[in-house]
Amino acid sequence: MIVEKNILDEVVKQVMQALEKTTSQEPRSMDIPVGVSNRHIHLSAEHIEILFGAGHTLTRQKDLKQVGEFAAAETVTMVGPKGVIRGVRVLGPVRKTTQAEISRTDGFSLGVVPPLRDSGDIEQSASITIVGTQGSVTLSEGLICATRHIHMHTDDARHFGVSDGERVWVETSGTRSTILKNVLVRVKPDFCLEFHIDTDEANATGLKSGDVVTLARCREV
């Protein structure tokens, strides 16, 4: 009987320790850091050489939060029917296809209407002329206004209970607090958790890079 009591006491002790450890752990936050995305362009190898010269490679200036991505020292000028925007930052690494991302306000300045698209979906998007230091390229398509989206590591996706390609709701705080619907979730093992919006949406909601938003709903209904 003494042996059985000792065993029972040990089991109770282990259970209590496990419960104490579980309750003492802070629950994972539902907060997601914000990254405001200003106008920029991703270039193909072919267009890099046309714009900056044969054999040119992008000069890494600043690493971005997403692994392997960086802001290059190179900039280009966008030329539209009604205006130009200078100093548009090139982002690396090199892409298979050139894609330029601007806000709707930028579109008004240029005289173009970029469609609202998920990144990579550029078929039949807007046309724009890109000017570099050594040449220019006129894109028949490739100019978009990128949809708001969240980058998530696979661990983050499990925590939030979502999967790649889902659309979720995001809630902001502050004097302009709102709920943003139809937010695309992108999941990859090398992604870092970050909510991306353009400057128009950031201004409208009072957000800046480094702020946090909260996942309000797990799935669109």
Side-chain angles (χ1 to χ4, degrees):
M1 293 293 292
I2 295 176
V3 174
E4 290 180 357
K5 184 177 184 305
N6 289 341
I7 294 174
L8 180 61
D9 289 344
E10 181 63 25
V11 170
V12 171
K13 180 181 177 181
Q14 292 178 6
V15 170
M16 294 301 293
Q17 287 176 342
L19 287 173
E20 182 179 355
K21 181 179 180 181
T22 300
T23 55
S24 66
Q25 289 177 340
E26 289 292 330
R28 285 194 61 182
S29 171
M30 297 301 281
D31 289 346
I32 302 170
V34 174
V36 178
S37 182
N38 198 0
R39 66 182 78 98
H40 61 272
I41 188 168
H42 305 274
L43 294 173
S44 67
E46 176 189 2
H47 288 165
I48 288 174
E49 292 205 344
I50 293 173
L51 295 171
F52 300 107
H56 186 89
T57 57
L58 295 178
T59 305
R60 184 185 295 264
Q61 178 171 278
K62 179 183 178 182
D63 288 332
L64 302 180
K65 187 170 183 179
Q66 301 307 316
V67 176
E69 296 188 4
F70 61 92
E74 290 81 359
T75 63
V76 299
T77 297
M78 291 186 180
V79 181
K82 294 185 178 180
V84 302
I85 297 178
R86 296 179 173 84
V88 178
R89 184 67 55 187
V90 178
L91 299 188
V94 177
R95 291 277 187 96
K96 291 178 62 177
T97 305
T98 293
Q99 174 180 294
E101 299 177 31
I102 64 174
S103 68
R104 285 289 172 85
T105 299
D106 290 334
F108 297 148
S109 299
L110 292 168
V112 295
V113 182
L116 187 64
R117 298 282 185 85
D118 295 337
S119 180
D121 180 13
I122 63 170
E123 186 176 353
Q124 297 183 353
S125 56
S127 174
I128 193 70
T129 295
I130 309 298
V131 181
T133 57
Q134 300 296 317
S136 64
V137 174
T138 297
L139 305 177
S140 59
E141 59 184 19
L143 181 68
I144 66 170
C145 180
T147 57
R148 49 186 177 248
H149 56 278
I150 305 172
H151 291 274
M152 285 190 185
H153 186 276
T154 48
D155 290 341
D156 296 316
R158 281 192 290 270
H159 166 63
F160 288 110
V162 298
S163 58
D164 185 56
E166 286 194 30
R167 306 277 174 171
V168 298
W169 294 11
V170 163
E171 184 173 6
T172 73
S173 58
T175 57
R176 289 186 169 184
S177 60
T178 189
I179 291 180
L180 298 171
K181 301 181 181 182
N182 198 34
V183 180
L184 175 67
V185 174
R186 292 189 177 275
V187 180
K188 284 188 178 180
D190 58 352
F191 275 170
C192 294
L193 184 64
E194 193 171 35
F195 172 54
H196 283 183
I197 55 172
D198 67 20
T199 51
D200 281 356
E201 290 188 314
N203 290 334
T205 54
L207 289 172
K208 63 183 183 300
S209 292
D211 287 345
V212 295
V213 294
T214 303
L215 195 70
R217 295 175 67 96
C218 286
R219 289 172 175 81
E220 286 288 289
V221 294

